[in-house]
Amino acid sequence: MAYVADESESSGEFNRDTEYITTRITADGRDGYPVEPGRYRLVVARACPWANRTIIVRRLLGLEDVLSIGFCGPTHDEDSWTFDLDPDGLDPVLGIPRLKDAYLKRFGGYDKGITVPAVVDVPTGEVVTNDFPQITLDFSTEWADYHRDGAPDLYPEDRRDEIDEVAQRIYTEVNNGVYRCGFAGSQRAYDKSYDRLFTALDWLEDRLENQRYLVGDTITEADVRLFTTLARFDPVYHGHFKCNRHKLAELPVLWSYARDLFQTPGFGDTIDFVQIKQHYYIVHADINPTRVVPKGPELSNWLTPHGRESLGGSPFGDGTPPGPTREGERVPQAHSA
């Protein structure tokens, strides 16, 4: 997503703008957008942790045949994400150079952030929603008729209250917590945000010490939401956002948990470390005015044994892992671990 924030001059605290387009694509089409194979296009950027969630869930559930995907480049200006990875700089399905075009097609005076992920209605070229927390939940529930055989239940009905509770704390304290550190406008705001973040990471260390996944014995929506922040922690957040009490690789439980997920099909194969670093270090010129992108850290340690199998559980429960990543959607080998 774009980093749209209201920073209080008095406190220096980062406050994320959370006014998203809340239109939903549902099985019954109650918002005017029914689930239909081939009708919608998911627009993402591999660099963005919020968009990365949708890439993972789409792949785990096997929605590739019914929901196409478009990839923006790793950087954007103050105006919009762009399709600079595509020939002629145009999305091959939507035919537009900037994601902003889809927003303005539906809302002529749209004045909020142009964010990814976004789902666009292909026939009209209009954005439907950018409500990233709801998008993945709807993939699990409203799109259920189109899940692949063996798809995991990422949002099981009997666990939803616990998943929601855990996911909410992860969002406020970890997913958004790293941004509060990175964009703090005062020492006091930074210190407060830093303490909140590492208090939450310590809580997660304790929670995951004797259980393989965050909720139950299989991967759920909560794991997806935590993973995308953990994957970016050492390459970006530790240094760039000053989240430097410990590296992820120095937190034994979370590091083994993150490697377990990274080595699970559908997780690590969506991570493009090169684009991730390019995005943060180039776009955030206020934090990194030279826009120099660091070469490190070493990434081969993501593929080392994690030992989490001894805790029991199975990533897909009674289901099966997704197949190989589709041609045209693969992360280049040189960009991964």
Side-chain angles (χ1 to χ4, degrees), residues 195-211:
D195 290 342
R196 282 181 64 179
L197 170 64
F198 282 98
T199 294
L201 292 178
D202 289 341
W203 164 68
L204 288 164
E205 280 273 296
D206 291 340
R207 183 179 183 92
L208 290 164
E209 184 174 7
N210 296 307
Q211 64 185 63

Side-chain angles (χ1 to χ4, degrees), residues 15-173:
N15 296 300
R16 183 176 298 278
D17 183 347
T18 57
E19 293 186 25
Y20 301 110
I21 302 169
T22 57
T23 309
R24 292 175 61 189
I25 300 169
T26 57
D28 63 7
R30 57 186 175 273
D31 285 358
Y33 293 95
V35 171
E36 292 181 14
R39 174 170 173 176
Y40 304 100
R41 186 159 177 83
L42 174 64
V43 178
V44 298
R46 292 194 187 277
C48 172
W50 322 96
N52 198 171
R53 296 178 182 183
T54 62
I55 302 172
I56 292 170
V57 172
R58 172 181 174 270
R59 175 152 155 64
L60 293 177
L61 299 179
L63 293 174
E64 294 97 330
D65 287 337
V66 298
L67 178 67
S68 68
I69 192 167
F71 293 96
C72 296
T75 62
H76 61 75
D77 56 26
E78 294 180 358
D79 197 35
S80 183
W81 292 88
T82 56
F83 295 99
D84 46 288
L85 300 177
D86 292 306
D88 300 321
L90 298 175
D91 179 87
V93 171
L94 301 174
I96 56 175
R98 307 171 70 80
L99 180 56
K100 183 177 183 178
D101 296 339
Y103 279 71
L104 294 179
K105 190 75 178 295
R106 183 176 176 198
F107 303 104
Y110 193 79
D111 60 357
K112 309 298 288 184
I114 307 300
T115 63
V116 291
V119 182
V120 178
D121 181 41
V122 174
T124 63
E126 298 178 355
V127 67
V128 178
T129 182
N130 64 348
D131 188 2
F132 69 93
Q134 191 62 50
I135 288 173
T136 50
L137 295 181
D138 284 343
F139 284 174
S140 283
T141 55
E142 302 295 332
W143 293 72
D145 286 347
Y146 299 99
H147 290 179
R148 65 178 176 86
D149 291 339
D153 187 352
L154 299 176
Y155 198 47
E157 195 162 358
D158 63 342
R159 292 280 194 171
R160 288 181 187 175
D161 287 347
E162 185 178 5
I163 291 170
D164 291 346
E165 180 181 356
V166 171
Q168 180 61 28
R169 185 170 182 183
I170 288 170
Y171 170 73
T172 59
E173 305 304 299

